[in-house]
Amino acid sequence: QVQLVESGGGLVQTGGSLRLSCAVSGSFFGDNTMAWYRQAPGEERELVATHTSRGIANYQDSVKGRFTISRDFVKNTVYLQMNSLKPEDTAVYYCKLVVYRSPRDMEYWGKGTLVTVSS
């Protein structure tokens, strides 16, 4: 059974930095994408960044230049380095793994870690 566990959230001042981690346990194989999403209070969950198993990273426009997603394929862990944090980055951050399968992809979610940016 694949499980995802996020860590690294907390309270930080505007302009500060945090590094989130998402450790994946359980076995899977094949092409996949790991992603970070976030959900602010009263808002819908939104995609923040993705990182494919082929090494391609993409970002939501609002975090480009401030956040960096990376993966350690040996440790099966994905990271989100967040710099120059703003109050609008406050949210619960979730990790997601998509393993590509036919006819249906397999998706797994972590339970989230709270990031609070104070002004």
Side-chain angles (χ1 to χ4, degrees), residues 28 30-35 37 96-100 105-108:
F28 61 94
D31 285 341
N32 60 82
T33 294
M34 295 204 71
Y37 285 73
K96 178 183 178 182
L97 166 66
V98 179
V99 182
Y100 301 111
D105 298 336
M106 302 175 70
E107 297 186 355
Y108 305 92

Side-chain angles (χ1 to χ4, degrees), residues 16-38:
S17 298
L18 281 175
R19 188 194 196 205
L20 306 183
S21 299
C22 173
V24 182
S25 62
S27 62
F28 61 94
F29 60 92
D31 285 341
N32 60 82
T33 294
M34 295 204 71
W36 287 98
Y37 285 73
R38 66 186 180 187

Side-chain angles (χ1 to χ4, degrees), residues 62-79:
S62 68
V63 306
K64 283 181 181 176
R66 300 189 298 123
F67 291 10
T68 302
I69 188 170
S70 61
R71 289 178 72 168
D72 185 326
F73 290 96
V74 174
K75 294 183 179 179
N76 252 348
T77 300
V78 64
Y79 304 97

Side-chain angles (χ1 to χ4, degrees), residues 50-52 55-59 69:
T50 60
H51 194 294
T52 72
I56 299 172
N58 281 293
Y59 300 90
I69 188 170

Side-chain angles (χ1 to χ4, degrees), residues 38-46 87-94:
R38 66 186 180 187
Q39 187 167 19
E43 303 289 333
E44 293 188 353
R45 193 171 296 189
E46 63 176 4
E88 51 264 44
D89 295 317
T90 294
V92 177
Y93 283 71
Y94 298 90

